[in-house]
Amino acid sequence: MSQPVRLEFAIFQKAIPIEFQAYLSIEHRAVLKQMPDFYAAVGALIQGKPAGVTLIHLPALGSQRTAKLLDINIDQAHRRQGIGLALMNQLCLLLRKAGVHELTVEYLRSEINQPKVSAFFQACGFDLSVPGIYVYSSSLQVPSEFPWVRSLSLPDSFTTRPFYSISPEEREEIQAGLGEWYPSILDPLAEEELIDKSRSVFLRHNGEIVGWLIFEHFDDKTILCKTMFVRTLFQRMARGVALMAEASRRLSLDPVYSELIFFVEAENQPMVKFIKKHVCSPHIKEEILWRSQKTLH
């Protein structure tokens, strides 16, 4: 007669046992070498042996009491047995007892592979997942072959110069414009220590800064396009697209990098539509950062 399945749960703070860490993604394993105080995990055990784990980012004291689900994974041998749902229910029970009001999640999947993940979270009581950010990656050579990249150029009244060309007065002007003529998410001075100041550029019109294109190092062969912004007046004139074209031509000759990653916020529908019509191709990989949330009653 088979032995009944014994499912148990364990809560981890300060450190996660190595046998549970094996279920987490590589980037989270790296963080957990010194587990931050605001991280916690719940592990699932079957017959006393690790079978899966979920990792969360706890809300700050005095905040809106929203926790973020960072990772969940069940051992391949125990999937499709309700272990993931049971683990999520246990996590939500513990969070409710701790006074957490909401649990959010973000995950990166292609549009084709996303439905299964979304169905799991919906089964766990989450809202229908919606796109948050469209993420694209390709060789630096691919964009340089697009017809609009080859043909578009900026008028003579516009100039592009490296990030490090910014003057103290221009820096003050940009800082004063935060939240006024550009949103905080497009702040070109955010995390300045990470910016590639030779490849990132400011766009000037008749000498006045009206936009920027900010790049960061991603890995040894990949550069990340972090932020692109052009003032509203010049967006209507397609100066942002011309700035992208100029940058694409320049990067195709880059001596260091060979790959590119860039992303577009889903709420920026005009740019999303432009990318899908004029950029997406079989040579460009598209993934989407999906978002969902669950209210903890």
Side-chain angles (χ1 to χ4, degrees):
M1 187 171 179
S2 62
Q3 186 179 15
V5 174
R6 178 165 53 92
L7 176 62
E8 300 172 298
F9 302 100
I11 303 170
F12 306 115
Q13 287 187 285
K14 304 296 184 183
I16 298 179
I18 191 69
E19 57 268 29
F20 284 95
Q21 288 190 33
Y23 293 110
L24 296 172
S25 60
I26 294 174
E27 60 267 27
H28 289 133
R29 276 181 255 166
V31 171
L32 294 174
K33 289 178 181 178
Q34 290 186 321
M35 190 170 175
D37 291 340
F38 47 83
Y39 275 32
V42 178
L45 301 97
I46 294 179
Q47 311 297 84
K49 296 181 179 180
V53 70
T54 181
L55 180 69
I56 58 168
H57 185 297
L58 296 167
L61 293 176
S63 70
Q64 295 181 348
R65 307 306 292 162
T66 296
K68 183 175 182 179
L69 178 66
L70 301 174
D71 209 343
I72 180 169
N73 193 24
I74 305 300
D75 188 285
Q76 193 78 34
H78 296 293
R79 292 179 183 176
R80 300 184 180 277
Q81 298 175 25
I83 307 301
L85 178 59
L87 179 56
M88 187 67 75
N89 287 341
Q90 180 68 21
L91 170 65
C92 292
L93 175 64
L94 294 170
L95 290 174
R96 280 195 293 269
K97 288 182 178 179
V100 176
H101 299 155
E102 184 181 56
L103 181 61
T104 66
V105 65
E106 295 181 338
Y107 57 93
L108 195 65
R109 290 291 188 282
S110 68
E111 204 152 10
I112 294 175
N113 297 329
Q114 183 267 348
K116 288 183 179 179
V117 182
S118 180
F120 168 74
F121 284 119
Q122 284 184 269
C124 294
F126 283 77
D127 295 340
L128 180 67
S129 299
V130 297
I133 301 175
Y134 291 85
V135 183
Y136 301 93
S137 56
S138 77
S139 159
L140 282 175
Q141 300 302 317
V142 171
S144 65
E145 298 299 321
F146 296 145
W148 61 272
V149 170
R150 290 181 172 183
S151 62
L152 280 179
S153 60
L154 290 161
D156 293 341
S157 56
F158 290 85
T159 58
T160 58
R161 295 189 62 200
F163 184 99
Y164 56 70
S165 69
I166 187 173
S167 68
E169 293 76 19
E170 288 174 326
R171 181 180 289 273
E172 289 182 8
E173 180 186 347
I174 290 172
Q175 290 171 333
L178 181 64
E180 295 293 327
W181 50 271
Y182 70 91
S184 59
I185 196 171
L186 299 178
D187 184 0
L189 306 177
E191 298 180 312
E192 188 173 340
E193 69 279 5
L194 302 177
I195 293 173
D196 186 322
K197 296 185 178 180
S198 61
R199 292 175 176 83
S200 300
V201 297
F202 282 104
L203 176 67
R204 292 175 173 84
H205 178 247
N206 293 327
E208 179 184 356
I209 290 182
V210 296
W212 45 79
L213 196 52
I214 306 299
F215 292 97
E216 288 183 3
H217 171 86
F218 186 78
D219 62 32
D220 288 345
K221 65 177 183 178
T222 310
I223 191 167
L224 167 69
C225 181
K226 177 187 177 185
T227 304
M228 196 280 283
F229 170 77
V230 173
R231 295 194 72 152
T232 305
L233 170 65
F234 302 109
Q235 291 174 17
R236 302 190 187 105
M237 301 176 184
R239 302 305 184 226
V241 177
L243 177 61
M244 290 167 56
E246 183 174 299
S248 296
R249 292 192 295 268
R250 186 177 67 252
L251 285 173
S252 69
L253 304 173
D254 195 275
V256 175
Y257 296 108
S258 61
E259 305 294 320
L260 170 69
I261 294 177
F262 64 98
F263 56 86
V264 181
E265 297 281 343
E267 63 185 26
N268 186 356
Q269 278 301 300
M271 183 57 73
V272 170
K273 290 177 181 177
F274 175 84
I275 296 294
K276 288 189 175 293
K277 183 176 181 179
H278 299 287
V279 174
C280 285
S281 78
H283 303 292
I284 290 187
K285 180 181 179 182
E286 179 191 73
E287 292 184 296
I288 302 172
L289 184 71
W290 300 86
R291 291 173 174 156
S292 186
Q293 60 280 322
K294 175 181 180 177
T295 301
L296 304 178
H297 299 290

